[in-house]
Amino acid sequence: MRFRLLSALIASAALVAEAAPAAASYDYIVVGSGPGGGPLAAELARAGFSTLLIEAGGDEGENPTYADIGNFNEAANDETTRWDFWVKHSDDPAQDLKFKHTTWDTGDGTFYVGLNPPEGAKLLGIQYPRAAVLGGCAMHNAGVCSMPADDDWDIIAKKTGDKSWSAANMRKYFKKIEKNEYLPAGDAAHGYDGWLATSVADNSWAKNDSLPGTKILKKLAELTGQDPNDAANLVNRDINQAGKKVDETTSFYNMVTHANNKGKRSSPNNYIRATLADPAKYPLTVKLHTLVTRVVFDNATLKAGSTPRAIGVEVMEGASLYKADPKHVAGTKGPVSQILANREVIVAGGAFNSPQILKLSGIGPAAELTKFNIPVVKDLPGVGENLGDNYEGSLLALGGAPVESGLITLLFRTPNAPNKKRNIYTWCGAFSFEGFWPGFPTYHGPTQYTCAMVHMAPKSQAGSKHGDQDLQELVGGANILREAWKAAGAPVAPLDEQHPCPGGKDDKCTDAVQADYFKTQAYSHHATSTCAIGGDKDKLAVLDSKFRVRGVKGLRVVDASAFPVVPGAFPSCPTMMLSVKAAEDIIAEAKKSYL
């Protein structure tokens, strides 16, 4: 999917100011505490390196809105941590305004969401959820923890020639972080002693053949080549199992979340707090409510012919200083200072903020930096480019009665998929999920039923289109799911479809109608790849295989922006794996420097 930040660079260019002398120094400075930066900072400190972790938000680890995984919708809407990023899906304004959850600023402190804004309302765009909080977006997401396809790891190994990125090797990082709470100990594909708790739901409901949801489940089994009589067992299949043919296997699974079996969220926040509280007194320092405005370079290395070296960061201290924070007061700035890094600065701000920080620091496309009067430290044309994401869409219907059911999780291949790999991740149940806007989701009443879909391995990377193949695959998935609904039986059926085909009439629910719906109403929240790892000959590669920013020293980027392509359907756990891999690489390199 294509998204554009609305003047994000311009909005924050004014943050750069003259800095006071440095007040402190650390071996490593990590900017951002989410799935990329949080685990990395903890690992570096546990290896004995003095590490400063900088977070623009606060710590909500004890707040039930965040600590209880079931409150994820409330967490994502909470102004305590929310950053309001407004994006657009198209360069055509008329096309963009077809999105039914387009958001407007009414001018009186409220939002209008819809297609008929009041007079004088200011267009904001399409909300893209981000979180400023210790633990990052892993503190406000739904907690889905799924491995990407092996190809998503192997592509990095192929691009860089670094075999440590192979899927076979990357599994060890998942095992290192995982504290599995749903399988008997001893499964070679899982870890049981890590800091990230994983758990699954009770799917015993699937044994009750009288439930409408079970009838839908069995029909889905039939439509996707599974045994309907075994459906009650298949729903407990491990979604994170390992194997050569896993990525080609259509099956039901039990959705895994990074939460413990009591429903408490598990995230980098837990690991950071455990590291701070450990009696070993690891040298980890956390600065909250601190906004990094740029990376600082050694002036001596900025001379012609020298390789620029990062030596620290410039920060402003205070809450809600970033303009995307809904609590931000226009014109507010905090005290500015510099903090030095003896070894390296590691940026982990996420797919939007990491390239922004690099650009504000003079690293990025030279023409763009010059346009904003930012001195060029290194011309890197790939910074901020290659943005990737999953298409997401949903089918929503209202039953004649409540659809009694648990959650159905299915990974499957549509008939029009371009290869043997499964391409749709769907979950169906009595909930509503139609994208993101202030106050989402809409409650459609006790009979609501949704099948939400994430399209895996999108071809429309970085805004390009490939014959509408991605849209056709979503349509292929929708047709299968809709057919399964018909099995719900009375009094639930027939379900009254709300979208993509209102009324669900077969003669009007053409593939073209559905493709147009998904083109205008698709949404997403898995941005990646804006500081992509790549090979030496790749002109748009920002990082090498060890996360080092090309053309400078002492600077790395470790977060979802490093992935060359979107990893699977949900990037949270893959990014945590990437984080501990980065820690291993950095620690190994540091040890060599001691020799």
Side-chain angles (χ1 to χ4, degrees):
M1 289 185 83
R2 188 176 191 178
F3 297 90
R4 291 183 183 275
L5 287 177
L6 302 183
S7 304
L9 182 61
I10 298 172
S12 291
L15 295 178
V16 180
E18 292 297 320
S25 65
Y26 301 83
D27 289 332
Y28 294 97
I29 296 174
V30 180
V31 182
S33 68
L40 171 62
E43 292 279 316
L44 292 174
R46 286 171 180 265
F49 297 101
S50 62
T51 304
L52 173 65
L53 177 60
I54 301 176
E55 169 55 50
D59 180 7
E60 299 293 335
E62 298 295 329
N63 184 340
T65 299
Y66 300 86
D68 296 339
I69 195 72
N71 294 333
F72 60 89
N73 283 335
E74 290 82 356
N77 277 295
D78 189 3
E79 285 194 359
T80 303
T81 68
R82 200 181 77 220
W83 275 1
D84 288 337
F85 277 41
W86 307 105
V87 304
K88 56 182 181 178
H89 288 172
S90 172
D91 287 330
D92 179 356
Q95 173 71 18
D96 230 31
L97 288 176
K98 293 179 181 178
F99 186 71
K100 66 180 182 180
H101 294 122
T102 297
T103 303
W104 310 71
D105 182 352
T106 63
D108 64 1
T110 64
F111 296 112
Y112 169 82
V113 179
L115 303 180
N116 298 296
E119 184 176 353
K122 176 185 176 182
L123 174 64
L124 294 172
I126 300 165
Q127 190 184 43
Y128 200 105
R130 299 282 91 180
V133 64
L134 190 68
C137 290
M139 288 295 288
H140 80 168
N141 64 7
V144 180
C145 185
S146 293
M147 295 298 96
D150 285 353
D151 286 352
D152 294 344
W153 296 121
D154 290 338
I155 192 174
I156 305 177
K158 292 175 182 177
K159 281 178 174 287
T160 63
D162 185 342
K163 294 182 180 179
S164 70
W165 281 100
S166 69
N169 187 63
M170 290 302 297
R171 190 76 188 197
K172 74 180 184 184
Y173 300 111
F174 179 60
K175 293 173 65 176
K176 179 176 181 178
I177 69 175
E178 187 185 25
K179 183 181 181 182
N180 187 290
E181 295 188 359
Y182 65 91
L183 290 173
D187 188 310
H190 289 276
Y192 297 85
D193 301 312
W195 49 267
L196 188 74
T198 59
S199 61
V200 296
D202 179 3
N203 274 342
S204 58
W205 62 270
K207 297 178 181 179
N208 186 345
D209 290 342
S210 67
L211 294 179
T214 307
K215 295 175 182 178
I216 293 173
L217 174 72
K218 288 194 169 188
K219 186 62 176 180
L220 267 176
E222 177 188 324
L223 293 170
T224 56
Q226 302 178 76
D227 181 359
N229 294 322
D230 196 34
N233 294 318
L234 291 172
V235 293
N236 288 311
R237 191 170 186 171
D238 177 21
I239 202 168
N240 288 327
Q241 66 184 128
K244 292 183 178 180
K245 294 291 185 179
V246 166
D247 299 331
E248 299 177 9
T249 301
T250 287
S251 181
F252 297 118
Y253 293 93
N254 201 330
M255 182 185 285
V256 174
T257 58
H258 51 84
N260 68 20
N261 54 23
K262 295 182 180 179
K264 296 295 183 182
R265 183 184 296 273
S266 183
S267 79
N269 180 286
N270 302 87
Y271 194 33
I272 295 163
R273 290 163 64 100
T275 302
L276 291 171
D278 197 293
K281 298 187 182 301
Y282 296 117
L284 175 63
T285 301
V286 176
K287 287 182 70 69
L288 301 174
H289 299 301
T290 302
L291 184 68
V292 171
T293 59
R294 66 183 175 104
V295 177
V296 178
F297 290 88
D298 183 353
N299 286 330
T301 65
L302 295 178
K303 299 177 181 178
S306 298
T307 301
R309 180 173 185 84
I311 59 170
V313 294
E314 184 175 276
V315 303
M316 286 198 302
E317 296 187 50
S320 303
L321 296 177
Y322 194 59
K323 290 185 178 180
D325 190 319
K327 304 182 298 303
H328 176 74
V329 177
T332 302
K333 295 183 179 181
V336 180
S337 63
Q338 290 184 355
I339 309 172
L340 299 184
N342 301 323
R343 289 183 167 274
E344 294 183 3
V345 174
I346 303 160
V347 178
F352 293 160
N353 290 100
S354 285
Q356 184 183 44
I357 291 171
L358 292 187
K359 288 181 179 182
L360 290 172
S361 307
I363 300 174
E368 182 181 351
L369 301 182
T370 301
K371 178 182 177 181
F372 291 102
N373 298 315
I374 299 173
V376 179
V377 173
K378 176 62 182 177
D379 179 14
L380 267 187
V383 175
E385 301 300 315
N386 194 51
L387 179 64
D389 213 325
N390 301 108
Y391 280 102
E392 298 181 52
S394 63
L395 290 81
L396 171 68
L398 303 179
V403 186
E404 294 182 78
S405 172
L407 193 68
I408 299 172
T409 301
L410 172 66
L411 274 68
F412 67 105
R413 178 189 179 277
T414 61
N416 57 358
N419 52 46
K420 294 181 179 180
K421 300 291 194 305
R422 57 198 184 187
N423 57 333
I424 298 292
Y425 186 125
T426 189
W427 61 106
C428 302
F431 62 89
S432 169
F433 183 49
E434 303 166 275
F436 301 92
W437 61 90
F440 83 97
T442 298
Y443 177 62
H444 296 276
T447 68
Q448 64 185 11
Y449 192 79
T450 295
C451 285
M453 296 186 291
V454 175
H455 179 240
M456 298 183 287
K459 271 66 68 180
S460 299
Q461 185 85 354
S464 63
K465 292 177 66 179
H466 294 267
D468 289 328
Q469 175 66 30
D470 291 334
L471 290 174
Q472 293 304 323
E473 291 176 42
L474 280 172
V475 171
N479 287 338
I480 291 172
L481 295 169
R482 180 181 299 105
E483 186 66 22
W485 284 357
K486 298 176 182 179
V492 167
L495 280 82
D496 181 14
E497 185 171 338
Q498 304 298 295
H499 61 68
C501 293
K505 295 181 179 179
D506 293 342
D507 59 334
K508 295 182 179 180
C509 191
T510 65
D511 286 0
V513 166
Q514 294 182 81
D516 182 68
Y517 173 85
F518 287 123
K519 185 175 182 178
T520 59
Q521 305 304 326
Y523 48 88
S524 195
H525 59 307
H526 300 153
T528 68
S529 310
T530 49
C531 296
I533 293 172
D536 294 340
K537 296 181 180 180
D538 183 353
K539 293 181 180 180
L540 293 181
V542 177
L543 311 175
D544 67 11
S545 70
K546 303 299 182 185
F547 304 90
R548 295 174 290 218
V549 176
R550 292 179 176 276
V552 300
K553 294 180 179 179
L555 182 62
R556 305 190 203 225
V557 176
V558 179
D559 57 30
S561 71
F563 289 110
V565 298
V566 182
F570 295 92
S572 186
C573 281
T575 303
M576 296 181 213
M577 294 165 62
L578 173 148
S579 179
V580 294
K581 183 191 190 307
E584 182 179 271
D585 291 339
I586 294 168
I587 292 167
E589 191 173 311
K591 288 180 177 179
K592 285 183 180 179
S593 69
Y594 283 134
L595 300 178

